[in-house]
Amino acid sequence: MKSLISSIILAAATVAALPSTAKEVSVHDPVMAKEGDTYYVFSTGPGITFYSSKDMKNWKPEGRVFAGQPTWAKRAAPTFDDHIWAPDIQHHNGKYYLYYSVSGFGKNTSGMGVTVNKTLDPRSPDYRWEDQGMVLQSVPVRDDWNAIDPNVIEDENGDAWMSFGSFWSGLKLVKLNQDLTGLAEPQEWHAIAARPRSDKVAGESAGPAEIEAPYIFKKNGYYYLFASFGLCCKKADSTYHLVVGRSKSVKGPYLDKQGVDMVKGGGSLVIAGDKDWKGLGHNSAYTFDGKDYLVLHAYETADNYLQKLKIMEMKWDKNGWPTVDQADLNNYRSVQLPAK
């Protein structure tokens, strides 16, 4: 009996020592910023979903950026359903600029806007998002591009550029004004990446040109253009994967490792899905405390392909190309803390 009781106590102690299954952060199209000692992640969701963290692992839900809807959203995207897509967060002249897009799935009835705040801390007395309205709109037939997935970068001259795009004729780059809230005049546009698409495809159709979500990251004298190829949002059938090219100029041309221009379909693989994770992509990239990070979402096979946050350390090979460790998809596990 004493032996049996000891076994029961030991078994109970072992169970108690096992970590409980924590809920992970479920996000799409994540971007990140750091203010003080706190990290913030913003993602696609009702009103733009966001979280805060002190360690990039334990994340506290902070609600939504927009209490209601952007006033212009329904005009640009009649089927807008309160889900604001693919934000991008930037810090400029002491303020935070949060770019975002509204659209209808598979349509280029789309628009990108920007809202501005002095702080990202929702408990600060200075916390107040002030929407600046629409930056750029795409209209079916008139435009053979899609005004979603914005990303803003400042070049070596201090000029701001917005890359964007999804399907159609590919990814574009357009110069912003000094306020970062509209296009510079005269306008300056550049094509920066595309996938093959038949000339016979009607203007209202996205066609099979599976490319979107540009993100430009400056490192060691190069501008690196990340893009997502393939299809998202299809659970086990998702083919999303991440590619990259680079250029000495923000305007391009962006060439892959083989020297192929991304406008002509080039793009070197950074990371793709495996048996545990599908639909990897829509990334952002940052340098925090001397380390570079790749931030993206991935669908977990074992959890019915639920999208989850991934933050992976990004290193650079001898030729200056970004690399990540595939094992980090399983190694990084976020924890969603209780909302307060």
Side-chain angles (χ1 to χ4, degrees):
M1 177 62 72
K2 184 177 180 180
S3 176
L4 176 59
I5 293 173
S6 297
S7 297
I8 292 172
I9 292 173
L10 179 61
T14 300
V15 170
L18 291 174
S20 59
T21 302
K23 181 178 180 182
E24 295 184 54
V25 176
S26 177
V27 294
H28 236 270
D29 318 325
V31 293
M32 192 160 68
K34 186 180 184 184
E35 182 182 12
D37 64 353
T38 304
Y39 300 91
Y40 294 88
V41 159
F42 298 85
S43 73
T44 291
I48 305 179
T49 307
F50 75 115
Y51 299 80
S52 66
S53 173
K54 299 292 186 181
D55 59 6
M56 286 196 284
K57 180 179 179 182
N58 296 281
W59 295 91
K60 178 166 57 179
E62 296 288 5
R64 53 188 285 167
V65 169
F66 282 90
Q69 298 180 359
T71 56
W72 57 271
K74 283 283 189 180
R75 295 198 307 271
T79 59
F80 176 66
D81 64 357
D82 196 39
H83 273 67
I84 299 177
W85 293 1
D88 180 51
I89 185 73
Q90 299 291 333
H91 189 253
H92 176 76
N93 285 349
K95 293 183 179 180
Y96 292 91
Y97 290 69
L98 184 63
Y99 296 85
Y100 60 91
S101 44
V102 301
S103 186
F105 199 85
K107 301 178 182 295
N108 68 336
T109 51
S110 308
M112 298 179 294
V114 61
T115 185
V116 178
N117 205 329
K118 292 180 180 178
T119 177
L120 300 179
D121 180 4
R123 281 158 286 282
S124 168
D126 292 327
Y127 180 83
R128 184 173 66 256
W129 289 105
E130 296 180 341
D131 192 37
Q132 305 300 302
M134 185 163 55
V135 177
L136 184 65
Q137 179 181 8
S138 57
V139 176
V141 180
R142 186 195 74 178
D143 302 314
D144 196 33
W145 41 266
N146 194 11
I148 66 170
D149 297 359
N151 169 242
V152 172
I153 185 170
E154 292 187 27
D155 66 16
E156 62 275 12
N157 300 316
D159 293 326
W161 299 82
M162 184 169 67
S163 59
F164 67 92
S166 173
F167 286 68
W168 276 270
S169 62
L171 308 182
K172 311 298 180 185
L173 184 78
V174 64
K175 192 175 184 179
L176 296 182
N177 61 20
Q178 292 298 308
D179 295 332
L180 275 63
T181 58
L183 303 189
E185 296 291 347
Q187 293 184 16
E188 184 175 350
W189 291 67
H190 300 275
I192 54 175
R195 298 291 300 281
R197 178 169 175 255
S198 171
D199 293 336
K200 297 179 181 179
V201 174
E204 291 188 64
S205 172
E210 300 168 356
I211 183 172
E212 58 189 9
Y215 195 94
I216 299 175
F217 181 72
K218 192 174 183 182
K219 180 79 175 182
N220 295 332
Y222 282 102
Y223 294 90
Y224 290 84
L225 172 59
F226 295 91
S228 295
F229 283 5
L231 297 172
C232 80
C233 319
K234 293 184 176 294
K235 293 194 172 184
D237 296 327
S238 299
T239 58
Y240 234 32
H241 59 284
L242 194 60
V243 303
V244 70
R246 69 186 182 187
S247 173
K248 287 288 188 178
S249 168
V250 71
K251 303 174 187 179
Y254 289 90
L255 309 181
D256 66 14
K257 292 179 181 179
Q258 284 69 49
V260 180
D261 192 334
M262 291 184 74
V263 168
K264 298 179 179 179
S268 296
L269 181 66
V270 177
I271 189 169
D274 55 29
K275 63 181 179 61
D276 295 326
W277 299 94
K278 304 292 183 182
L280 275 64
H282 209 119
N283 77 291
S284 51
Y286 307 95
T287 302
F288 294 121
D289 300 321
K291 290 185 178 181
D292 297 327
Y293 295 93
L294 192 70
V295 182
L296 67 161
H297 70 246
Y299 305 152
E300 187 171 18
T301 303
D303 197 8
N304 195 31
Y305 305 100
L306 182 64
Q307 64 268 18
K308 296 185 178 180
L309 174 66
K310 293 295 165 187
I311 300 176
M312 311 171 74
E313 186 175 353
M314 184 166 57
K315 298 183 178 180
W316 304 85
D317 68 17
K318 63 181 182 179
N319 295 314
W321 290 96
T323 66
V324 290
D325 186 347
Q326 191 87 17
D328 283 345
L329 289 171
N330 281 319
N331 293 337
Y332 177 83
R333 293 285 180 169
S334 64
V335 176
Q336 180 173 320
L337 302 173
K340 293 182 180 179

